[in-house]
Amino acid sequence: QVQLVESGGGLVQPGGSLSLSCAPSGSVFSINRMGWYRQAPGKQRELVALISSGSSTNYVDSVQGRCTISRDDAKKTVYLQMNGLKHEDATVYYCNAEMKIAWRDIQRDYWGQGTQVTVAS
């Protein structure tokens, strides 16, 4: 079964940068919208950034100007460049993509397993 696989999380000092990436583990027919979400313990999962199939982007206010979402359709990969990281950015980040695995499939949402971002001195 195809899954989304994230990479790039880790430990960074306040003010530092991290780059996350995410791609399907196997072959897919098409990918529409892609995005990044995050979820802190005891809180609801929140949108961080979205990118459409046409590369239109949308960001949550708290990361606007500090994060950049991008995609490489040839590699079927979505990226999240995070700069100026703050303590409040530290949590688990999840990749999301709206995909069709095979041409006859319906388009549906897929999630990655999550990657931890830690911001500490």
Side-chain angles (χ1 to χ4, degrees), residues 27-104:
S27 176
V28 301
F29 177 74
S30 66
I31 303 178
N32 189 20
R33 171 188 39 80
M34 307 183 83
W36 290 94
Y37 291 72
R38 62 188 180 187
Q39 186 170 19
K43 294 189 176 182
Q44 284 191 326
R45 190 169 295 187
E46 69 166 353
L47 170 69
V48 178
L50 283 176
I51 186 166
S52 71
S53 58
S55 294
S56 295
T57 58
N58 188 34
Y59 299 91
V60 67
D61 287 346
S62 60
V63 306
Q64 183 76 45
R66 298 189 295 121
C67 293
T68 302
I69 188 170
S70 61
R71 60 191 288 167
D72 183 332
D73 289 331
K75 297 180 179 179
K76 292 184 167 51
T77 300
V78 63
Y79 305 94
L80 184 68
Q81 176 66 40
M82 300 188 292
N83 302 320
L85 282 162
K86 306 176 181 180
H87 290 292
E88 51 263 42
D89 295 317
T91 188
V92 181
Y93 285 70
Y94 296 90
C95 174
N96 169 264
E98 192 177 45
M99 304 191 298
K100 292 179 66 172
I101 303 304
W103 70 270
R104 67 183 67 190

